[in-house]
Amino acid sequence: VRSAADAMHHQEIQRTRVFVRIGQLLTLVFAAGGLVAGGDRIAQGVLFFGLLCVLVPMSWLARALRDDANYTTTRALPVALSSVFGAMCGIYYFGVFSPAVVALPFGLYFFSAAQDFRATLTVFIGCAIGYLALAVFVMTGAVFDRGLIVPVGNGGAGGMVVQAVVVAMVETILFATLLIERSTRDLTLLAIERHDRAQRGLLQREALLKEARLDLDRALH
């Protein structure tokens, strides 16, 4: 590790390894949950298809990450986008206005720490627009709500207002998650850089002191 950026890059590789392992485990857990919970067959099929779309690229990335040199944002981004797609499938299965939506800020928080801001922004847009589109389709009746958890008594204009508020809150949380994690990453990078500068300053002072002692010894000799 030669610089703060190198340190952050190494940390990103390690975080990705952990995320992939946890993601693979969660995929299997959600698949088992879908089998046990049952529900609408079409929604169940959507869930399993989405989980498959997550598991395959995650397994590929886990294999590639056996060597640190294989990690690039270009390779990680498809896994991120497939995870967003899988999350949307899970949200459709459990319910667009169900607690399943918390999966989005969880994943976004991880990907927001990436060094490449364009990749982070791509994931954020995928989460924000994907959920907004799914919610609007369900609210307008363009897509039938087959979720396990469906709000009761939310029909009519009043129900639309409640659903719109829920959607607005989710979108706000997603944006706040992006801002918090990016600022956290920037502050961490700044702290590492300051530490490196302090270390270099100490080493320079030690070198000057050693040189001064040598000069003094030569003068005394």
Side-chain angles (χ1 to χ4, degrees):
V1 179
R2 292 172 296 178
S3 66
D6 291 336
M8 294 294 290
H9 179 70
H10 179 72
Q11 189 244 18
E12 184 173 328
I13 295 174
Q14 302 307 318
R15 286 189 310 102
T16 303
R17 281 198 180 103
V18 174
F19 178 82
V20 166
R21 294 192 192 104
I22 295 176
Q24 289 175 310
L25 179 60
L26 289 177
T27 300
L28 298 177
V29 170
F30 288 144
L35 287 173
V36 173
D40 184 90
R41 289 303 183 102
I42 295 179
Q44 198 177 38
V46 170
L47 172 67
F48 293 148
F49 177 72
L51 293 177
L52 182 63
C53 290
V54 174
L55 186 59
V56 171
M58 273 196 175
S59 300
W60 168 80
L61 184 60
R63 185 178 180 84
L65 286 181
R66 292 176 180 176
D67 184 356
D68 287 2
N70 290 331
Y71 177 82
T72 62
T73 304
T74 305
R75 288 182 173 177
L77 185 57
V79 176
L81 296 179
S82 67
S83 298
V84 173
F85 176 76
M88 295 302 166
C89 293
I91 290 171
Y92 179 71
Y93 170 73
F94 287 104
V96 177
F97 305 101
S98 73
V101 181
V102 300
L104 292 179
F106 167 74
L108 180 60
Y109 186 83
F110 168 80
F111 289 113
S112 294
Q115 287 184 299
D116 190 340
F117 179 70
R118 292 173 298 179
T120 298
L121 188 61
T122 300
V123 175
F124 167 72
I125 292 173
C127 289
I129 294 182
Y131 178 72
L132 178 62
L134 183 59
V136 169
F137 288 155
V138 170
M139 290 166 62
T140 58
V143 173
F144 183 70
D145 192 354
R146 303 175 183 272
L148 286 177
I149 305 173
V150 180
V152 179
N154 279 345
M160 289 283 286
V161 171
V162 172
Q163 291 174 344
V165 169
V166 171
V167 173
M169 290 176 64
V170 171
E171 296 291 331
T172 302
I173 291 172
L174 289 175
F175 185 63
T177 301
L178 174 69
L179 294 181
I180 290 172
E181 180 52 29
R182 290 307 297 185
S183 63
T184 300
R185 182 190 177 280
D186 292 341
L187 290 173
T188 302
L189 182 60
L190 179 62
I192 294 175
E193 290 175 344
R194 286 178 175 175
H195 177 267
D196 288 346
R197 284 197 296 269
Q199 286 290 97
R200 286 195 295 270
L202 288 174
L203 291 175
Q204 288 174 355
R205 283 194 291 271
E206 288 179 0
L208 290 174
L209 181 59
K210 184 177 181 180
E211 184 178 353
R213 285 174 177 170
L214 291 174
D215 291 341
L216 180 58
D217 289 340
R218 283 194 294 267
L220 292 174
H221 181 72

